[in-house]
Each structure stands twice: as structure tokens, then as C-alpha cells.
Amino acid sequence: MTLEQQDKQYVLQTYARDYTNFVKGVGSTLYDENGRDYIDFASGIGVNSVGHGNEKLANAICEQAKNIIHISNLQVIEPQAKLAQKIVELSGYDDMGIFFANSGAEANEGAIKIARKYGETKFDNKKYKVITLEHSFHGRTITTVKATGQESFHTPNFSPYPDGFSYEKSINDVYNAIDDETVAVLIELVQGEGGVQPFEKEEIQKLATHLKAKGILLIVDEVQTGVYRTGEFLASNLYEIEPDIITLAKGLGGGVPIGAVMTKHKEILSAGDHGSTFGGNYLSTSAGLAVLDVLSTMYTNGTVDETLLYFSEKLKMIAEKYEGLFEKEVGLGLMRGLRAKNAEIQGAVLKNALKERLIVLKAGRNTVRFLPSITISKNEIDEGFKRFETAISTL
Ligand SMILES: *Cc1c(COP(=O)(O)O)cnc(C)c1O
């Protein structure tokens, strides 16, 4: 039985899977079973923030695994407390508290629960409605899929869905959608899955000010934008706003599953309100500490800035040179995209890139998405774009 056959027989076929079998990773280079190298511009959809085979991360995981991998949240967990402190300090939002989960969807579930309880307990009338945006993506659980503002996700196959979510076309439309039962607005600052679309800083700041005045919570889903993806620790730092609730996941554990919801409303959830068996265990929080150690050092010494400038220059050159294929380049930091003229071009680019041994992603209907590791080297960036040009030169 081949690997492909085995996968098809025993794994539920929920993905349109490619069957290249990767057996080794070094930095932003992956090797298949035949020893061929691939440049990784996707980092496991923004997860491998410190690349593959990072020694500091690997050592932290190994050392932790030899001692305690997991106890339970009924006991205090030292690396969990340390990681919570580290995240709060790096965010610059002094007085926040964190709950650890295992994924982005779960982090968003936590955020929605905090908002719901806030709306239940802080006002005379019950407030429970959460406004999100069209083209957003917030996860795959029944609740977070309903929070996701894309009709195609709300198929009757999984209905009924929880009430209380509505979607607006733009930030500007949010103002009129607010009513007496609205408790929160949930947004990404750069829509990732929706097409690598950043919002204007001014419109986000204006919304944040308005929501604060109205007593409505601003929840920022930083599952993809967080952990230096946009060049700052949080995209909220880049936008210079202070959300009530922020969620993190993808890049935080460098590949070890972890999610986090942080809030300044530390008093809302009390004992028994929320929980997770695995969330914040020794292994995942030790991994998180190692990741933040690596990346915060690179941020402070200017390497993160240098890398994203370098990547940006290369991408701009491609966008200009191949304006027959691409409308424009989009995104922020190391969360980038090329908006293809149509979906056929997008599909052909993705297919050809893989043939040239370069891993890129799609986003939205016509965007080719780049989410390299934050630690990617200049050589790997050069080689990746060389392969990208070869891939598209025949289109
Ligand atoms: C990936 C993603 C999620 C879902 O995260 P999972 O870990 O797959 O549950 C939620 N929100 C955003 C913005 C994401 O990019």
C-alpha cells in the first residue's frame, strides 16, 4: 500500500491534499523522500514561525518532554505562568490576563464566551450579538464557523448554528449595525484566509474609539497576524489600538498546538466558567517560551524588520514585472499576497510553483499568499523568488 492509498483509505478526506512526502526540514527548506529540496513560503499556514528544525525550540521541547509533558490545569504550571507574563509584556498592554487553548478556533470560542458573559453581567439588558466582517475567517467549530463572514461556510449540512452573529461589508457599515444587544465587534486587522487584505489604520482607530465610547468590546483575531507576522509582536501594536480581547494561535508554538485568548477584563471569567484539558500544558507553553525567546531577540536586533523589507522588495519587483498576471501586491510584513487577475491564474501559479519546488498558498478567490517563517534567510528568499519567477514565466 502506498502512502497515498493509506491516507485515502484511513484518513477522512476533508482536504484536497498534495501527496509530496516531506521527511526533513531545515529552516525554510523542506526535503521530500527523494531528497529534493523545496523552499517553504507557507510555514504550515503561518505556524512554523521559527522555521523547521529550530534548535532552541527543539531543545526546549525535548527537555520538557523528558520531564513533564502534561499534568492538568488543576495544578499550577510554571511555563504557562511564564508564557502568560511574557505575552502580556511583549504586547505592551500591561494589565491583561490569558487563557490558553489549543487552536485558533478554540481561542476565538474563549473570546466569544468572555464577550457573552460580559454582555450578560455588565448591563441591565442582555447583550449577546457579535458583529463580524464579510470575508473574515474565525475557525471551523460550529460557533466560529458561524462567526466567519463567508456564506459558503454556513451550509445547511451543519445547521442549526448559534444565534447572535451578523456580518458587515466594511468597517464603515459596522457603525449602523450596532444595536442595543450588540456586545462585541470581532475583526482581523489583516484578513488572512479572506485574501490577505489589511484595513486602514485610521478606520480601525476610529472604530476602536467609537466602540470604547459605546461600551462595546473590540475583539481582534490575531490568530494569523500575531507573533511578529506583521513586523510587530501584535498587529494591534502596529495599528496602535488597545483591544478588549485578542486571540493568538498559529505562530505561537512554532508548530506545537497552542491557542491563547488575552483580555483586560480579567474579572469576567471565574473558576468553572471555562476550561481545557490540554490548554497551556508544560509542552506547549515551553514551546511558546522558546519561540518568543527566538523571535523577540530577532525583533530587538532588527532582523525581523530587515527580513520583511527584503521580502517586500522582492515581491514588489515581481508584481511590477508581471503586471499581466497580477493586479497588485497586498498584505503587511511577512503576511503577503499577489492578487491574481483571476482564479485561473491563481490556480496555475500554485500548481507551477509546486512543480518548481516552492510552497505557496492560496487565499480568497484570486490571491496567491506568502506566509514564510519569520526566521527565513535572505538566501532562502532569493531562491524562493527565483523559483517563483520560473514558475510564472511560462504563464
Ligand atoms: C487559522 C485561523 C483561525 C483558525 O485557527 P485553527 O487553529 O485552525 O482553529 C482563526 N482565525 C484566523 C484569523 C485564522 O487565520
Side-chain angles (χ1 to χ4, degrees), residues 45 102-106 108 137-140 188 190 192-193 221-225 249-250 369:
I45 319 186
N102 311 285
S103 67
E106 255 188 273
N108 286 336
F137 182 78
H138 299 297
R140 295 291 205 146
E188 298 153 270
V190 186
E193 308 298 315
D221 179 346
E222 295 232 28
V223 168
Q224 194 162 151
T225 55
K250 290 193 165 84
R369 178 166 48 150

Side-chain angles (χ1 to χ4, degrees), residues 171 175 200-211 236-241:
I171 297 286
Y175 296 93
E200 295 289 336
K201 186 170 174 178
E202 291 72 28
E203 65 176 345
I204 294 293
Q205 289 185 337
K206 191 176 142 226
L207 177 71
T209 306
H210 181 80
L211 295 180
S236 297
N237 298 136
L238 192 66
Y239 279 71
E240 297 178 281
I241 52 166

Side-chain angles (χ1 to χ4, degrees), residues 229-268:
R229 182 53 59 191
T230 66
E232 295 295 326
F233 178 58
L234 299 173
S236 297
N237 298 136
L238 192 66
Y239 279 71
E240 297 178 281
I241 52 166
E242 275 189 45
D244 294 279
I245 305 173
I246 296 168
T247 56
L248 295 172
K250 290 193 165 84
L252 183 56
V256 179
I258 187 168
V261 49
M262 56 193 288
T263 182
K264 59 185 177 191
H265 303 284
K266 290 160 73 168
E267 77 296 349
I268 295 296

Side-chain angles (χ1 to χ4, degrees), residues 41 135 190-198 224 315 319 325-332 335-351 353 359-371 388 392:
F41 274 4
H135 307 295
V190 186
Q191 290 186 329
E193 308 298 315
V196 204
Q197 190 55 54
Q224 194 162 151
L315 194 64
L325 296 173
F326 305 110
E327 266 168 30
K328 57 178 174 179
E329 49 115 12
V330 287
L332 282 177
M335 185 172 176
R336 308 304 286 247
L338 287 170
R339 188 73 41 82
K341 290 253 156 98
N342 56 53
E344 286 81 73
I345 295 175
Q346 179 202 39
V349 169
L350 288 164
K351 211 172 119 210
I359 305 171
V360 290
L361 296 162
K362 64 177 188 176
R365 257 165 305 150
N366 58 348
T367 305
V368 178
R369 178 166 48 150
F370 304 83
L371 284 177
F388 191 73
I392 63 177

